[in-house]
Amino acid sequence: MSDRAFSTKILHAKFLKADAHGSLHMPVYDNVTFEFKTAEELELAFKGKSPAHMYSRISNPTVEHFEQRLKAVTGAAGVLALASGMAAIANTLLTIAKAGDNIITSRHLFGNTYSLLEQTLKEWGLETRYADLTQAGEVARLFDGRTKAIFLETITNPQLEVADILALSAVARPAGVLIIADTTMTPPYLFSAKAFGVDVEVISSTKWISGGATSLGGVIIDHGSYDWARNAKLATDAKKFGPFAFISRLRREVHRNTGACLSAHNAYLQSLGLETLALRVDQSCANTLKIAEFLQASGLARSVHYPGLASSPYYAAARAQFGDKPGAVLTFDLTSKEQCFKFINALQLLRRATNLHDNRSLVIHPASTIFGEYDAAQLQLMGVRDTMVRVSVGIEEGRDLIADIQQSLEASA
Ligand SMILES: *Cc1c(COP(=O)(O)O)cnc(C)c1O
């Protein structure tokens, strides 16, 4: 079984309990509560001594099946599905750290993650230290006894930087520092996070996994590679639960107390999304490279940025970690904000929308939208240029996308 491919494992992952009617899809258990035959069985379930579901905020068969499928393809120690990507990130940090601790990350972060660290968690006493994560030596100099984790995004957006995670792992491992990676842009199938030293993966499954933006969702994957006894907050859990210390603290405390559970309906949609993830990733990545190469050859853009282009400073790191699938987001620069707007307005096929990894190709001008609240100096620090257009490439036929981009660039030149 273990040498079977991603899609095979996803499609044939077993139900934990056989369906009463032999349904091939795990049904949507859209109920809140589950009944028990006896008071004794209820007591056992509440003590965590039987695997039964009791209440859907805590666990639910449809959500559990989605988690089990991800477990089957990643071989993880534990998988937890939540209401959104932000819920996955917040629950992970709330579980591994407490006031007085610090984590290390890049300033090139998803906006709400940055705000979670700089506002919400800062007020509760978690310190965030910023470094260039492509420089492992610089990162190691920030470690102290209260450093709990390095938090990285495998491809930053819209800078499209790729850190060498093995190099980060080489400094983090001996220091007992956990590596958390937001792999939204490079989910399982595209990237084997554990093989590169990632201990815990957090994913906005809203994006690629959901089947192309069908529903909100988030996933936490614990790869079982970190020794939880090295985390002071989880030391007691580590004595009791060993490699399952993190996932059990998460399930028994933080996840149920914060209530950001995935709904059964969304779990169903996300589970369907997993069935076609590999096909969609292949098509989108192939399209992205074709578009990037077209843009480079055409001379219609001032510069083109994609880790899959040999001209990218991150080409080698992307190649090593993501093989021939270095994501499906590219950016390019035109001469001015005005030209970017003209280009975006002249598009007939690509959609003007935020979000990533919809099945449709989406285009946006990051500086005036996602980063609209920042001034010029802050934008420069964040690597966001006024002349930059971002494209999240979908699964349409590549030549149709290129034709639309070409006509629109010519119309706006
Ligand atoms: C979208 C996104 C998130 C947040 O996910 P939601 O599902 O919208 O909460 C986090 N990280 C990255 C990299 C994202 O693109």
Side-chain angles (χ1 to χ4, degrees):
M1 185 70 186
S2 61
D3 58 344
R4 287 182 177 158
F6 182 94
S7 295
T8 312
K9 286 187 192 170
I10 286 289
L11 290 164
H12 298 284
K14 296 257 183 307
F15 292 1
L16 285 179
K17 264 190 184 173
D19 179 67
H21 302 281
S23 169
L24 273 177
H25 279 298
M26 173 56 75
V28 182
Y29 281 88
D30 217 354
N31 57 311
V32 172
T33 199
F34 301 82
E35 72 168 340
F36 291 76
K37 287 199 179 71
T38 63
E40 286 78 7
E41 284 177 41
L42 253 171
E43 184 184 25
L44 280 179
F46 269 78
K47 285 193 169 148
K49 294 195 171 143
S50 85
H53 301 285
M54 303 174 289
Y55 188 75
S56 281
R57 169 162 47 74
I58 296 169
S59 71
N60 169 283
T62 315
V63 176
E64 180 180 59
H65 181 62
F66 173 56
E67 294 167 345
Q68 287 297 320
R69 288 182 131 182
L70 278 164
K71 222 173 149 179
V73 282
T74 58
V79 175
L80 183 71
L82 304 93
S84 68
M86 286 317 302
I89 294 168
N91 272 255
T92 299
L93 295 174
L94 289 171
T95 305
I96 61 130
K98 59 184 175 187
D101 288 342
N102 65 75
I103 71 150
I104 297 170
T105 190
S106 160
R107 281 196 188 274
H108 299 169
L109 269 186
F110 180 71
N112 293 138
T113 307
Y114 184 73
S115 167
L116 174 71
L117 293 168
E118 270 308 298
Q119 296 176 293
T120 319
L121 294 178
K122 187 183 227 169
E123 290 184 340
W124 287 96
L126 180 68
E127 182 198 345
T128 301
R129 300 177 175 180
Y130 297 95
D132 178 350
L133 297 185
T134 65
Q135 306 297 321
E138 184 184 320
V139 173
R141 281 194 288 281
L142 297 178
F143 289 168
D144 66 17
R146 300 296 297 270
T147 303
K148 285 290 169 296
I150 297 172
F151 183 97
L152 66 97
E153 293 175 5
T154 44
I155 301 180
T156 68
N157 163 28
Q159 304 83 10
L160 306 183
E161 279 170 6
V162 179
D164 176 345
I165 306 173
L166 279 177
L168 289 173
S169 169
V171 296
R173 187 75 60 209
V177 172
L178 177 75
I179 295 195
I180 306 170
D182 179 335
T183 62
T184 300
M185 305 251 287
T186 62
Y189 171 63
L190 194 161
F191 175 50
S192 300
K194 184 181 181 180
F196 291 91
V198 173
D199 301 303
V200 173
E201 227 175 315
V202 289
I203 309 176
S204 168
S205 53
T206 310
K207 312 289 164 55
W208 235 332
I209 289 177
S210 73
T214 64
S215 49
L216 285 156
V219 172
I220 300 171
I221 301 176
D222 176 0
H223 287 289
S225 47
Y226 184 77
D227 176 7
W228 295 107
R230 297 196 70 168
N231 179 309
K233 181 172 170 179
L234 294 172
T236 313
D237 305 83
K239 276 200 192 103
K240 238 172 136 179
F241 301 105
F244 305 104
F246 167 74
I247 205 81
S248 82
R249 182 76 173 264
L250 191 54
R251 275 197 189 281
R252 287 179 307 111
E253 181 195 317
V254 182
H255 171 250
R256 64 174 70 177
N257 292 353
T258 53
C261 55
L262 183 64
S263 72
H265 183 69
N266 282 3
Y268 178 75
L269 291 172
Q270 307 243 329
S271 208
L272 287 183
L274 277 180
E275 296 190 355
T276 57
L277 180 66
L279 295 172
R280 293 180 290 107
V281 164
D282 284 349
Q283 175 77 1
S284 292
C285 290
N287 279 348
T288 314
L289 183 61
K290 279 185 207 157
I291 294 170
E293 285 174 344
F294 159 77
L295 284 168
Q296 220 168 33
S298 74
L300 289 166
R302 248 178 40 192
S303 57
V304 187
H305 311 275
Y306 178 52
L309 286 175
S311 59
S312 163
Y314 308 109
Y315 178 75
R319 189 90 202 159
Q321 295 172 140
F322 318 130
D324 62 351
K325 301 184 225 310
V329 176
L330 66 84
T331 68
F332 56 91
D333 283 75
L334 299 177
T335 52
S336 63
K337 174 183 172 185
E338 289 67 37
Q339 197 197 353
C340 293
F341 274 38
K342 256 179 148 175
F343 164 76
I344 290 170
N345 290 336
L347 288 164
Q348 293 167 3
L349 189 62
L350 283 81
R351 305 297 185 94
R352 290 164 280 272
T354 190
N355 201 16
L356 303 172
H357 308 311
D358 193 301
N359 292 331
R360 297 153 198 81
S361 294
L362 308 179
V363 65
I364 201 161
H365 178 255
S368 63
T369 55
I370 305 164
F371 295 89
E373 65 193 276
Y374 301 104
D375 63 32
Q378 288 169 310
L379 287 181
Q380 197 182 10
L381 210 62
M382 291 189 282
V384 178
R385 297 173 299 276
D386 214 22
T387 51
M388 176 199 274
V389 173
R390 184 187 84 184
V391 184
S392 167
V393 180
I395 60 171
E396 302 95 331
E397 186 62 45
R399 65 169 180 274
D400 295 334
L401 295 171
I402 289 173
D404 191 35
I405 290 170
Q406 181 169 14
Q407 69 76 22
S408 195
L409 279 171
E410 285 166 358
S412 56

